[in-house]
Amino acid sequence: MSEDQVSGGNTGYVNPTGEFRRDQRYIETRITADGRDGYPVEPGRYRLVVSRACPWANRAIIVRRLLGLEPVLSMGVCGPTHDERSWTFDLDPGGRDPVLGIERLQEAFFARVPGYDRGITVPAIVDVTTGQVVTNDFPQMTIDLSLEWTRFHRPGAPQLYPEHLREEIDAVNRDVFRDVNNGVYRAGFAGDQQAYQRAHDRLFARLDALSERLEGRRYLVGDTITEADVRLFTTLARFDPVYHGHFKCNRSKLSEMPVLSAYFRDLYQTPGFGDATDVVHIKQHYYVVHRDINPTGIVPAGPDLAGWLEPHGREALGGRPFGDGTPPPPPVGGEVVPDGHRPRAA
């Protein structure tokens, strides 16, 4: 794999030891309440650009919806596949984003940094007034939606990054990113058997540890949904449809790990999670784009995911999904995952 190989919306390369390394050089400009980086929080000024296929973008979609930021932060949705240049707006009429007027996300990056030579990644937030990308720093992006956009949160919005839990959330997120979120990619894009085995073993050791952590508690940190749950959820949602086979993460399916499977079903059935997850786009992306792994581009018909809708029984552990808040309302018009793109009950 060359250094400009696109994987899951992010660039990466295989180093001399056979290990996949993700390029994490993002545009780190922040949109803040005080505008200290030159980009103050303003309703209607920015557009969140995503692909429902990408796990990092899926996080931003979920957080935006849980916090109720739809009226003040519009969202553009790219198609599930892309070429070596960038994500495209092929789902929109004429193949152009109706707000930004561009065909490729690359155009917004080049408007900010001519000849930008790093990954053209989603999620990205674009300044509508200039057409320039502001940031694609996805880990910071969702934190800032929680902390910097509070003035525009919906009534009843949950606290996804509460101050008294931040240290613990950060510690969990570090482990989950290293071994799970990015761990599946390290297994899938490993350049030799030894690198693959290391990544595979580390992934499942962490999943086993998470199972132990979640056996007696409903959520990863505290007794409500937090940023940590959002970050783990988007990888678990792709595990059986993609990572188990496509990335050779096949010691066990998620459905064969009882605690994690029930935890995932609990979140999937929570408003804001399952209704923001598009399985068709997920499968199309990985199996079509990653031709190094799947040369034919054939998208598997399975697996049957009706089990995602089965009872999870985790209410018995207590906890309140939204704390003192309330569930988000249904998705706004134009942002509903299409019929047939989510599992249906058997």
Side-chain angles (χ1 to χ4, degrees), residues 188-208:
F189 288 107
D192 62 33
Q193 187 69 40
Q194 291 73 28
Y196 159 74
Q197 195 68 54
R198 288 192 297 270
H200 174 278
D201 292 351
R202 193 166 183 171
L203 164 67
F204 282 99
R206 181 61 58 191
L207 291 177
D208 289 344

Side-chain angles (χ1 to χ4, degrees), residues 293-315:
I293 300 175
N294 187 40
T296 64
I298 294 172
V299 180
D304 182 357
L305 301 176
W308 289 6
L309 303 177
E310 293 178 356
H312 50 77
R314 289 183 60 84
E315 304 95 333

